[in-house]
Amino acid sequence: MVDDIMELFEAIKGRRSIRKFKEETPDEELIEKIVEAGIWAPSAGDLQSWNAVIVKDHQIKIQIAIAAYVQEFITKAPVIIVVCANQANAGARYGERGRELYCIQDAACAAQNMILSAYALGLGAAWIGAFKEDDIAELLDLPDYLRPVALIPLGYPDEEPEAPPRRSVKEVIYNEKY
Ligand SMILES: Cc1cc2nc3c(=O)[nH]c(=O)nc-3n(C[C@H](O)[C@H](O)[C@H](O)COP(=O)(O)O)c2cc1C
C-alpha cells in the first residue's frame, strides 16, 4: 500500500503538460483506457455528466487549433480528446447548480484523471482551456447542452519539460478561517 501511495505521488508530481508529440498514434485500447480512468472520477450523484469527443482528423484538428487562438501545437497531437460537460444530465437532477457547476466539476475531475492516467501509460497530454466555445461546439456538432470544458491533445511525448514552480503548502492553507 505504501508503495502504491508513493507511485501515485510520483505520478501527480511527475506529470507535465506536453505540447510536443511524436507522430505515432496511440492504440485505440490505450485511448479507451484513458477515457475509462475519466469514468472512474468522482461525479455529482455518480451521474458522470460529461462526454468525450475523440478527434483524429487532421483538418478538424487544424480548425480546433484555430478556435484555440492558434495554439499550433494542437495540430501535431495524434489525438485530441474534447471533454464536454453534459448540462442536461446534471440539470435534470440538480437544476441550476447541476447545469452551471456540477457538470463542469464532473468534466474537470474526469479530465484530470485522463491526463494523469495518460502519463502513467507513457503518453503525454495537456489541458487546453483557452478556446472559443461556440466555435468548438459548431465544429463538433455539439448539442446546446454539451459545453466543451477542456481540449486534451494526446500522444507520445517528444519533450521533457522542467516542472514549473508551485506554491508552498503554507501559502495555500488558512487555519480555521480565511
Ligand atoms: C484550466 C486550465 C487551462 C489551461 N489552458 C491552457 C492553454 O490554453 N494552453 C496551454 O498550452 N496550456 C494550458 N493549460 C496548462 C497549464 O499551462 C499548465 O498546467 C501549467 O502551466 C502547469 O504546468 P504543468 O501542467 O506541466 O504542471 C491549462 C491548464 C488548466 C488547468
Side-chain angles (χ1 to χ4, degrees):
M1 188 60 188
V2 170
D3 279 354
D4 290 347
I5 289 170
M6 291 299 284
E7 277 178 32
L8 179 59
F9 270 80
E10 193 287 319
I12 287 170
K13 287 190 168 185
R15 176 214 58 82
R16 291 279 69 77
S17 293
I18 296 300
R19 301 181 179 89
K20 196 162 186 281
F21 301 94
K22 294 184 175 149
E23 271 185 29
E24 184 186 350
T25 303
D27 287 344
E28 207 55 45
E29 223 175 283
L30 275 183
I31 297 169
E32 284 187 10
K33 213 171 165 59
I34 287 165
V35 175
E36 190 187 7
I39 289 170
W40 281 97
S43 68
D46 195 31
L47 291 181
Q48 302 151 55
S49 299
W50 60 277
N51 294 87
V53 181
I54 311 284
V55 177
K56 293 180 189 161
D57 182 278
H58 188 60
Q59 292 308 318
I60 299 179
K61 281 192 261 183
I62 291 171
Q63 295 305 313
I64 288 178
I66 292 169
Y69 304 99
V70 200
Q71 299 191 60
E72 214 181 334
F73 76 91
I74 295 174
T75 63
K76 307 265 171 53
V79 180
I80 303 172
I81 303 177
V82 182
V83 184
C84 305
N86 190 322
Q87 298 185 290
N89 205 47
R93 183 170 317 170
Y94 295 114
E96 191 187 342
R97 198 164 171 80
R99 257 191 320 277
E100 303 302 331
L101 182 64
Y102 291 164
C103 62
I104 312 289
Q105 293 174 323
D106 288 1
C109 288
Q112 170 62 3
N113 265 19
M114 286 190 254
I115 288 172
L116 207 51
S117 62
Y119 174 66
L121 292 166
L123 297 174
W127 178 310
I128 306 298
F131 57 85
K132 296 176 193 162
E133 282 190 30
D134 290 350
D135 291 3
I136 295 290
E138 192 180 331
L139 263 171
L140 303 180
D141 284 343
L142 301 181
D144 60 3
Y145 57 82
L146 277 191
R147 184 172 173 194
V149 169
L151 313 175
I152 304 180
L154 179 74
Y156 289 96
D158 199 18
E159 62 169 351
E160 285 184 28
E162 290 289 316
R166 289 305 203 252
R167 295 193 288 167
S168 71
V169 174
K170 276 201 167 66
E171 194 187 330
V172 172
I173 289 179
Y174 291 79
N175 285 310
E176 314 305 344
K177 285 190 178 185
Y178 188 75

